[in-house]
């Protein structure tokens, strides 16, 4: 995985493992496996959201950094199945 991102960010599709608003970060599980991907609150805010539900489907651009793999841009988020939005179950 690190070799693929050596030249720059790559698109990752996965699901949110957890996200803690108070801590300001969470982690994504890549559908292709590998280490967890850090999702920082600032990256999420740039997408227009302050939080994201566990198990939500998410696509991001991820970059290998000295501290591990981090999301640098959120491309899309789909709420988890059964998640209520405005009273409607998705």
């Amino acid at each position: 995985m690190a070799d693929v991102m050596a030249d720059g960010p790559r698109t990752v599709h996965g699901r949110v493992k957890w996200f803690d608003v108070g801590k300001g970060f969470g982690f994504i599980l890549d559908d292709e496996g590998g280490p967890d991907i850090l999702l920082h609150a600032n990256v999420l805010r740039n997408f227009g959201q302050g939080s994201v539900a566990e198990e939500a489907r998410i696509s991001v651009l991820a970059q290998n950094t000295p501290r591990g793999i981090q999301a640098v841009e959120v491309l899309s988020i789909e709420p988890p199945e059964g998640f209520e939005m405005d009273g409607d179950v998705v």
Side-chain angles (χ1 to χ4, degrees):
M1 184 181 295
D3 292 339
V4 176
M5 287 189 270
D7 296 330
R10 74 168 180 100
T11 301
V12 172
H13 305 284
R15 65 181 172 81
V16 176
K17 181 176 183 179
W18 61 266
F19 187 85
D20 187 316
V21 175
K23 291 181 179 180
F25 68 92
F27 288 94
I28 299 167
L29 297 173
D30 187 344
D31 286 346
E32 296 180 9
D36 293 353
I37 299 164
L38 176 68
L39 175 60
H40 195 273
N42 287 337
V43 173
L44 194 55
R45 278 194 290 273
N46 288 341
F47 184 70
Q49 289 193 214
S51 185
V52 62
E54 290 181 11
E55 299 298 320
R57 300 289 309 152
I58 189 165
S59 295
V60 298
L61 289 180
Q63 177 72 50
N64 201 11
T65 73
R67 300 179 78 188
I69 301 171
Q70 297 185 14
V72 294
E73 182 179 349
V74 175
L75 303 174
S76 69
I77 298 174
E78 296 176 26
E81 202 169 306
F83 184 77
E84 290 190 27
M85 290 180 59
D86 299 326
D88 297 327
V89 177
V90 178

